[in-house]
């Protein structure tokens, strides 16, 4: 199936009566007057589309399937990777390397055979979004990038579908329901859309993703179950849907805060005189691609490593059984056992990724640094990452001076202006900033290690942690 083709949600025969097995399965619902037989039948007849089968999509779809939602569409193009398992509770080790939508469908069908799971292994974009959402009653935004959020947000306004929105970052999350075709239950006004709240996308690169900034594993569980709760309320028509109300959650403070969000009458999509009446080019609008090439490469590498470590489910013809080991367990500086050697990375003759724009005046390669260390050459070696990153993996002999502390710790480097200095970080961006800052301070002989410790751990210390 090509990314633009995807099965539409087939019309399920409407559930008119519950059989005795279903009555037993759903009896905790049936005794709630707010649900009852009629409500349970509404759930069984409901069609819900979850965009993203990641951190949010996992708890959302698990709870909706368990609740008896009859049709759940899942749209995701990714495969399961080992670093997903910290929070993506639908999946296990045996699923590593498999399409998320396929692994999810199997788990959800096992949880509840009443649930018809529709797999949309596709990138959601302006070409397919309207076709994708048209047969669903409720759309859930569980995505992690701005182009898809705007795309889903606009399409839901155009197609008059409620958009149950959640987002997460580090220890904080947000939940609301965007539905300009429905009323805010408190004010009676029409609700806002995603663009009313975020009229403009952030500058490209200004907002780090969860992959860059991290996320505490339970957070998507908390935010995702709140989204699932909103979906169930919308289907049943009970309670007050969170239309016009944004709930912010802080995991560190166990604090929920609520904000009113109002529809903007001049909004280009849901305003009184809309100018956007069909999906636009969201990658151009946001200035970033829907699929981040770096994160795709990371997933492919993780899966490849899991395969070469002989993980169940991720095993290949070349992987022998019975040598499963924890992923990323190789200690910094230590070579991995010979039989779990990772595949040779694809690097050029300098040891750099193909196409890398090497700046010889500013950068040195991991291979050159290794040669200097092997020769016992005297130079100042600095790791400018954060202490927690240093604990994950580090190069023996590198002194930790986080970029953020450079101004305060300048004294430690004074007097070394003429000495040879090499600085490294995770992937080479921060160390270049560090290098620029020190050159402005009169340090003449400083260079940044291209590709950072991630490249080091591919080329010099293969099997060393990638994070
Ligand atoms: Zn709007």
């Amino acid at each position: 199936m090509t990314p633009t083709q995807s099965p539409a949600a087939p019309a399920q025969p409407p559930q008119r009566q519950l059989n005795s097995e279903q009555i037993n399965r759903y009896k905790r619902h049936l005794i709630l007057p707010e649900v009852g037989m009629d409500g349970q039948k509404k759930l069984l007849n409901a069609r819900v589309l979850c965009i993203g089968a990641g951190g949010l999509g996992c708890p959302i779809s698990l709870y909706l399937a368990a609740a008896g939602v009859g049709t759940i569409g899942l749209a995701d193009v990714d495969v399961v990777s080992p670093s997903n398992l910290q929070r993506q509770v639908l999946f296990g080790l045996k699923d590593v390397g498999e399409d998320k939508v396929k692994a999810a469908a199997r788990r959800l069908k096992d949880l509840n055979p009443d649930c018809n799971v529709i797999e949309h292994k596709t990138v959601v974009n302006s070409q397919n979004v309207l076709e994708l959402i048209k047969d669903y009653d409720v759309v859930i935004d569980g995505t992690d990038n701005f182009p898809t959020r705007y795309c889903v947000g606009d399409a839901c306004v155009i197609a008059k579908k409620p958009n149950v929105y959640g987002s997460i970052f580090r220890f904080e999350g947000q939940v609301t329901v965007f539905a300009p075709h429905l009323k805010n239950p408190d004010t009676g006004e029409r609700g806002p859309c995603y663009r009313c709240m975020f009229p403009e996308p952030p500058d490209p690169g200004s907002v780090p993703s969860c992959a860059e900034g991290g996320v505490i594993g339970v957070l998507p569980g908390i935010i995702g179950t709140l989204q699932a709760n909103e979906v169930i309320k919308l289907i049943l028509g009970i309670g007050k849907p969170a239309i016009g109300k944004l709930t912010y959650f802080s995991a560190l403070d166990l604090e929920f805060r609520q904000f009113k969000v109002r529809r903007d009458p001049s909004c280009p999509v849901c305003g009184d005189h809309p100018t956007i009446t069909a999906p636009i080019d969201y990658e151009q609008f946001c200035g970033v691609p829907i699929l981040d090439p770096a994160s795709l490469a990371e997933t492919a590498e993780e899966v490849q490593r899991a395969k070469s470590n002989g993980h169940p489910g991720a095993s290949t013809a070349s992987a022998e059984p019975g040598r499963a080991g924890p992923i990323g367990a190789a200690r910094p500086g230590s070579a991995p056992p010979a039989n779990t050697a990772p595949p040779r990375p694809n690097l050029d003759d300098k040891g750099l990724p193909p196409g890398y724009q090497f700046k010889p005046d500013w950068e040195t390669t991991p291979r050159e640094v290794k040669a200097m260390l092997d020769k016992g050459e005297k130079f100042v070696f600095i790791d400018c990452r954060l202490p927690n990153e240093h604990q994950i993996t580090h190069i023996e002999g590198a002194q930790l001076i986080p970029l953020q502390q450079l101004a305060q710790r300048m004294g430690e480097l004074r007097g070394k202006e003429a000495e040879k200095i090499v600085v490294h970080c995770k992937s080479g961006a921060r160390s270049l900033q560090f290098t620029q800052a020190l050159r402005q301070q009169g340090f003449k002989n400083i260079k940044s290690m291209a590709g950072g410790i991630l490249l080091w751990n591919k080329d010099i210390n293969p099997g060393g942690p990638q994070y």
Side-chain angles (χ1 to χ4, degrees):
M1 198 183 305
T2 66
T4 49
Q5 291 173 328
S6 214
Q12 284 271 85
Q15 187 98 22
R16 298 187 200 284
Q17 293 303 328
L18 301 191
N19 62 36
S20 57
E21 212 176 302
Q22 289 172 319
I23 289 171
N24 185 58
R25 176 183 275 265
Y26 302 120
K27 63 190 176 192
R28 300 289 186 277
H29 270 171
L30 299 176
I31 54 167
L32 291 171
E34 293 82 355
V35 185
M37 275 289 190
D38 287 345
Q40 196 61 51
K41 281 188 256 174
K42 282 184 190 169
L43 290 169
L44 284 162
N45 291 324
R47 292 164 302 177
V48 169
L49 174 66
C50 187
I51 299 182
L56 293 170
C58 284
I60 292 168
S61 56
L62 272 172
Y63 273 102
L64 293 182
V69 170
T71 302
I72 298 179
L74 283 175
D76 200 307
V77 79
D78 236 344
V79 297
V80 179
S81 70
S83 66
N84 294 153
L85 305 181
Q86 167 251 18
R87 64 203 176 285
Q88 299 185 14
V89 293
L90 271 173
F91 310 121
L93 268 182
K94 67 174 172 25
D95 305 317
V96 167
E98 190 171 18
D99 290 339
K100 281 187 178 177
V101 289
K102 195 167 174 215
R106 192 170 54 235
R107 172 78 180 93
L108 297 174
K109 288 296 284 184
D110 178 54
L111 173 62
N112 189 349
D114 285 342
C115 181
N116 175 32
V117 182
I118 313 219
E119 301 168 30
H120 302 283
K121 181 180 163 56
T122 178
V123 174
V124 178
N125 58 29
S126 49
Q127 277 89 54
N128 64 12
V129 66
L130 289 176
E131 180 64 23
L132 195 63
I133 68 176
K134 79 174 172 38
D135 293 317
Y136 291 99
D137 308 315
V138 180
V139 175
I140 307 162
D141 183 345
T143 58
D144 58 358
N145 67 81
F146 290 102
T148 312
R149 286 200 185 288
Y150 279 99
C151 178
V152 171
D154 287 359
C156 285
V157 176
I158 293 163
K160 294 188 166 56
K161 309 280 182 186
N163 173 13
V164 179
Y165 170 91
S167 73
I168 47 170
F169 182 64
R170 301 187 62 136
F171 295 93
E172 294 169 9
Q174 301 178 347
V175 190
T176 190
V177 175
F178 295 117
H181 63 293
L182 301 176
K183 284 179 178 162
N184 176 326
D186 289 326
T187 65
E189 295 168 357
R190 287 170 58 196
C193 81
Y194 180 66
R195 273 186 199 256
C196 295
M197 198 165 85
F198 301 108
E200 295 289 336
D203 289 336
S206 65
V207 178
S209 66
C210 285
E212 292 157 335
V215 62
I216 192 81
V218 296
L219 183 66
I222 294 164
I223 298 298
T225 44
L226 291 174
Q227 287 177 273
N229 184 49
E230 289 305 308
V231 173
I232 288 169
K233 281 161 56 187
L234 285 166
I235 295 168
L236 296 177
I238 60 171
K240 287 189 196 173
I243 297 169
K245 181 165 82 176
L246 177 84
T247 298
Y248 157 92
F249 172 70
S250 161
L252 286 180
D253 299 327
L254 184 56
E255 191 169 72
F256 286 92
R257 271 185 267 154
Q258 301 198 310
F259 301 90
K260 293 188 175 99
V261 194
R262 299 189 64 181
R263 187 179 71 94
D264 175 2
S266 66
C267 172
V269 196
C270 78
D272 298 337
H273 306 285
T275 52
I276 297 172
T277 53
I280 62 166
D281 183 336
Y282 295 96
E283 293 186 313
Q284 190 189 44
F285 177 62
C286 298
V288 291
I290 290 177
L291 293 175
D292 171 24
S295 113
L296 287 176
E298 187 183 342
T299 299
E301 277 182 36
E302 273 189 39
V303 170
Q304 192 61 41
R305 237 176 307 134
K307 282 179 179 173
S308 62
N309 284 355
H311 267 294
S315 61
T316 60
S318 63
E320 296 145 30
R323 52 168 224 223
I327 291 156
R331 285 179 302 284
S334 68
N339 67 341
T340 60
R344 291 304 304 161
N346 179 21
L347 302 175
D348 67 16
D349 53 5
K350 283 200 184 76
L352 295 167
Y356 187 91
Q357 299 286 315
F358 185 65
K359 297 172 265 310
D361 293 344
W362 290 91
E363 291 178 304
T364 181
T365 66
R367 285 184 192 175
E368 288 166 343
V369 176
K370 174 75 164 74
M372 285 158 62
L373 289 169
D374 287 349
K375 274 189 279 181
E377 201 175 319
K378 191 172 175 294
F379 69 103
V380 180
F381 196 14
I382 296 170
D383 176 351
C384 73
R385 297 172 302 153
L386 293 168
N388 59 312
E389 297 180 270
H390 183 85
Q391 281 177 356
I392 299 170
T393 177
H394 61 268
I395 303 169
E396 228 44 71
Q399 176 196 357
L400 188 64
I401 303 183
L403 177 62
Q404 289 88 334
Q405 296 174 8
L406 179 58
Q408 301 95 289
R409 296 181 60 178
M410 212 50 210
E412 297 172 41
L413 295 166
R414 282 290 169 214
K416 296 177 179 171
E417 284 83 350
E419 283 183 40
K420 187 168 188 176
I421 303 176
V422 173
V423 58
H424 86 81
C425 63
K426 179 182 177 185
S427 56
R430 277 174 286 175
S431 54
L432 209 48
Q433 281 182 42
F434 196 104
T435 300
Q436 284 163 344
L438 279 196
R439 286 208 188 171
Q440 282 167 8
Q441 296 285 322
F443 289 77
K444 303 261 182 294
N445 203 1
I446 176 167
K447 282 189 174 178
S448 161
M449 188 174 86
I453 198 164
L454 294 188
L455 182 57
W456 177 276
N457 280 349
K458 275 182 203 155
D459 192 30
I460 309 298
N461 176 34
Q466 298 286 325
Y467 68 98

